[in-house]
Amino acid sequence: ISVPWTTVTAFGVRSAGSFMDKDSEMVIYTDIMYDPPKGDDKKPQPGMAMLEQDFSKDKVDLIAIHSYLSARCIRAGQHSATVAAPMPPEIAARSTSGAESLLNWLGGDAAQVDPAEFQARLSRASWLQEGESVVMAFQVGRDTIAFTDRRFFKVDVQGFSGKRVLYLSIPYTSLRAFSITSAGSWDRDAEMKLVLKSYWMPTVLYDLRKG
């Protein structure tokens, strides 16, 4: 089976865990339709909409795999984002009360963080392409999401030990649409939604902390 690179909508690698699941993984999402339910099976199957490959722990270079996928699926200089202006200091200096901070943590809201610091961390580990820049970054708990000038990037820390980590990339060419919903009087959070050209992962949704 051959899958053209032009069908890839998102890709990522996941490091091995420390307990039951000790294999690392590669995952690729495509714009191919998933397999519909058959017979008594009422749930659709990913089919070629999502391709997964397990690797033996410590036997493969996950960063090298991610870098190769980036080189094949992200075209530098095309569909790149314009670098955003720095956040005004009066907004960056705002803080929330202890109670609201706890609610934000429990609710899974993302707070904006310094993009330069996150870029430095990604660059030291070679997760970014040469010349790629982080425009905005948000963090909630152990997880971080970022917008670079070439992709949407997610670092998803999983499991109690935190050793199992998913590094997911979504090129901007994979977006069908996007929306931002501002916070209201009763709903304290703004909301970001990305609609993808992927049948198995059609949307990405995040709450963003008000202010």
Side-chain angles (χ1 to χ4, degrees):
I1 298 174
S2 296
V3 178
W5 293 115
T6 52
T7 68
V8 176
T9 57
F11 57 88
V13 292
R14 183 184 284 112
S15 59
S18 57
F19 297 106
M20 296 299 294
D21 194 345
K22 295 186 177 181
D23 294 331
S24 55
E25 300 173 2
M26 174 186 69
V27 58
I28 295 176
Y29 295 88
T30 73
D31 61 7
I32 302 172
M33 186 64 178
Y34 54 76
D35 294 343
K38 296 180 180 179
D40 296 333
D41 190 359
K42 297 182 179 180
K43 295 183 178 180
Q45 298 299 314
M48 296 183 67
M50 182 187 69
L51 308 173
E52 289 184 297
Q53 177 63 54
D54 289 344
F55 300 111
S56 297
K57 183 179 180 180
D58 299 329
K59 299 296 183 180
V60 298
D61 187 340
L62 293 180
I63 295 179
I65 293 174
H66 189 272
S67 297
Y68 180 74
L69 290 171
S70 296
R72 301 300 303 184
C73 302
I74 299 177
R75 299 176 183 177
Q78 297 186 12
H79 305 281
S80 297
T82 302
V83 177
M87 184 187 297
E90 65 273 13
I91 297 178
R94 291 180 184 173
S95 61
T96 57
S97 66
E100 185 174 359
S101 296
L102 177 60
L103 290 175
N104 287 333
W105 176 272
L106 295 176
D109 305 335
Q112 194 158 2
V113 297
D114 183 10
E117 179 181 353
F118 188 54
Q119 177 173 335
R121 293 177 180 272
L122 292 178
S123 297
R124 283 197 296 268
S126 301
W127 287 108
L128 299 180
Q129 291 181 310
E130 184 177 356
E132 185 175 4
S133 299
V134 175
V135 179
M136 290 184 291
F138 302 87
Q139 186 169 20
V140 54
R142 299 180 298 175
D143 302 338
T144 309
I145 60 174
F147 294 93
T148 79
D149 54 358
R150 301 175 189 178
R151 74 181 99 185
F152 172 83
F153 190 82
K154 175 182 179 181
V155 180
D156 183 4
V157 181
Q158 303 169 350
F160 291 105
S161 67
K163 292 184 178 180
R164 191 163 177 80
V165 183
L166 171 66
Y167 300 89
L168 180 68
S169 290
I170 303 175
Y172 292 130
T173 52
S174 299
L175 297 184
R176 291 186 187 274
F178 58 89
S179 65
I180 296 291
T181 304
S182 60
S185 300
W186 297 100
D187 188 348
R188 300 162 35 257
D189 310 320
E191 182 182 86
M192 177 193 72
K193 182 177 182 179
L194 306 179
V195 182
L196 310 181
K197 301 175 184 177
S198 173
Y199 291 101
W200 199 250
M201 185 175 58
T203 59
V204 174
L205 186 67
Y206 283 100
D207 286 335
L208 305 177
R209 188 177 303 174
K210 181 178 180 181

